[in-house]
C-alpha cells in the first residue's frame, strides 16, 4: 500500500494535465478490463501502459480492431507502448487481462492517444497552401502531445522504480540489523560458555 499514495497524487496531476488521457485501473485476479474508442479509418492511435503495483508487475494486453482481428497481443508485460493506424472505421478495443494471477490484483496506468481524424481533401488551387499549413500544425500538435505523454510515462516509471528500490533498501537494512543482533548475541553466549568451561572451581 506504500505505492498507492504517490500513485493517487500522480493521478491527480495527470488529470490536471488536460490533454493527457491517463487512467489508473485496478484489475482483480482471474479478471480483465476492456476499453474502446470509435475512430475513423486513417486515425493514428497509441497505447502506453505500465503496471504500477501487484504481484510480479505483469499483465496481458490485447488490442482488437472492429473486424475482430488482433492488432497487438502481449503476455506478462510490465510496460509498453504500441502505435498503429486505424485500418477501418469502427470500435477499437484494448483489454488488460489478469487471469494468470491466482489472488493478486494489479494496478495499471494507461493512456490511449488518438490523433485527429483525417480530412477529405478537396484541393483548390487557392487553398492548397492553407491546407498544407493546417496539416503541418496538426502533425506538430500530435508530436508535442506524444512527447508530453512520453515524459509522463517515464516519470511514472521512475517513481515506481524508486519506490520499489526504497522498500527493498529498507528491508535490507532491517535484515542486516537483525543479523547484527543475532551475531552479537551468539558472540556473548560463546564467551560466557567458554568462560564457564575453563573456570577453575575450588573445593571448600
Amino acid at each position: 500500500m506504500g505505492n498507492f499514495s504517490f500513485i493517487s497524487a500522480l493521478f491527480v496531476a495527470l488529470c490536471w494535465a488536460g490533454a493527457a488521457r491517463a487512467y489508473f485501473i485496478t484489475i482483480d485476479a482471474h479478471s480483465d478490463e476492456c476499453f474502446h474508442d470509435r475512430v475513423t479509418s486513417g486515425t493514428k492511435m497509441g497505447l502506453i501502459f505500465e503496471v504500477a503495483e501487484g504481484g510480479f508487475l505483469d499483465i496481458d494486453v490485447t488490442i482488437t480492431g472492429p473486424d475482430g482481428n488482433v492488432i497487438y497481443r502481449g503476455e506478462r508485460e510490465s510496460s509498453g507502448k504500441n502505435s498503429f493506424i486505424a485500418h477501418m472505421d469502427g470500435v477499437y478495443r484494448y483489454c488488460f487481462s489478469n487471469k494468470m494471477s491466482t489472488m493478486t490484483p494489479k494496478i495499471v496506468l494507461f493512456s490511449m492517444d488518438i490523433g485527429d481524424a483525417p480530412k477529405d481533401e478537396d484541393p483548390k488551387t487557392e487553398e492548397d497552401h492553407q491546407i498544407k499549413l493546417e496539416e503541418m500544425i496538426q502533425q506538430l500538435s500530435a508530436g508535442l502531445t506524444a512527447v508530453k505523454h512520453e515524459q509522463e510515462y517515464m516519470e511514472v516509471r521512475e517513481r515506481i522504480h524508486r519506490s520499489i528500490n526504497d522498500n527493498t533498501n529498507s528491508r535490507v537494512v532491517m535484515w542486516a540489523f537483525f543479523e547484527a543482533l543475532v551475531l552479537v548475541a551468539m558472540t556473548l553466549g560463546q564467551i560466557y560458555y567458554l568462560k564457564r568451561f575453563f573456570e577453575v572451581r575450588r573445593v571448600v
Side-chain angles (χ1 to χ4, degrees):
M1 297 297 292
N3 296 339
F4 190 75
S5 58
F6 85 84
I7 288 175
S8 301
L10 183 60
F11 174 68
V12 174
L14 290 176
C15 288
W16 279 99
R21 298 179 55 195
Y23 305 94
F24 279 100
I25 57 173
T26 300
I27 306 175
D28 295 328
H30 298 295
S31 65
D32 52 17
E33 293 286 344
C34 292
F35 303 86
H36 65 272
D37 283 294
R38 181 180 296 275
V39 299
T40 58
S41 177
T43 303
K44 186 176 181 180
M45 306 176 69
L47 175 66
I48 301 176
F49 67 93
E50 170 87 16
V51 182
E53 186 176 337
F56 294 102
L57 300 179
D58 56 348
I59 202 75
D60 294 341
V61 184
T62 305
I63 302 176
T64 309
D67 53 359
N69 291 333
V70 176
I71 299 174
Y72 174 79
R73 185 191 304 275
E75 296 182 356
R76 296 182 178 273
E77 295 187 342
S78 297
S79 61
K81 53 183 178 179
N82 185 271
S83 299
F84 60 95
I85 296 177
H87 60 279
M88 62 182 299
D89 296 350
V91 176
Y92 289 78
R93 292 168 53 89
Y94 36 101
C95 299
F96 302 94
S97 176
N98 192 28
K99 292 185 177 181
M100 89 289 284
S101 180
T102 56
M103 62 179 65
T104 306
K106 307 287 177 62
I107 297 179
V108 179
L109 161 71
F110 76 94
S111 64
M112 172 59 79
D113 299 330
I114 302 177
D116 294 331
K119 297 180 180 180
D120 295 333
E121 295 185 358
D122 185 13
K124 296 181 180 179
T125 306
E126 300 176 356
E127 300 180 356
D128 283 348
H129 181 69
Q130 182 179 356
I131 293 175
K132 291 181 179 180
L133 183 60
E134 291 178 355
E135 291 177 350
M136 292 177 63
I137 293 175
Q138 291 177 358
Q139 293 177 358
L140 180 60
S141 176
L144 291 175
T145 302
V147 171
K148 181 179 180 181
H149 288 183
E150 182 71 16
Q151 290 177 339
E152 293 166 351
Y153 170 73
M154 295 303 296
E155 181 181 358
V156 170
R157 293 196 64 182
E158 189 274 334
R159 292 193 180 188
I160 292 172
H161 294 164
R162 183 173 60 186
S163 177
I164 293 174
N165 290 337
D166 291 343
N167 291 337
T168 303
N169 182 63
S170 61
R171 292 180 182 180
V172 170
V173 171
M174 293 297 296
W175 179 251
F177 182 72
F178 174 75
E179 286 184 329
L181 290 178
V182 173
L183 183 60
V184 171
M186 291 180 61
T187 301
L188 294 177
Q190 290 178 351
I191 293 174
Y192 176 77
Y193 176 77
L194 292 175
K195 183 178 180 181
R196 291 290 304 271
F197 182 78
F198 291 106
E199 185 180 39
V200 180
R201 299 185 178 184
R202 297 180 181 180
V203 179
V204 181

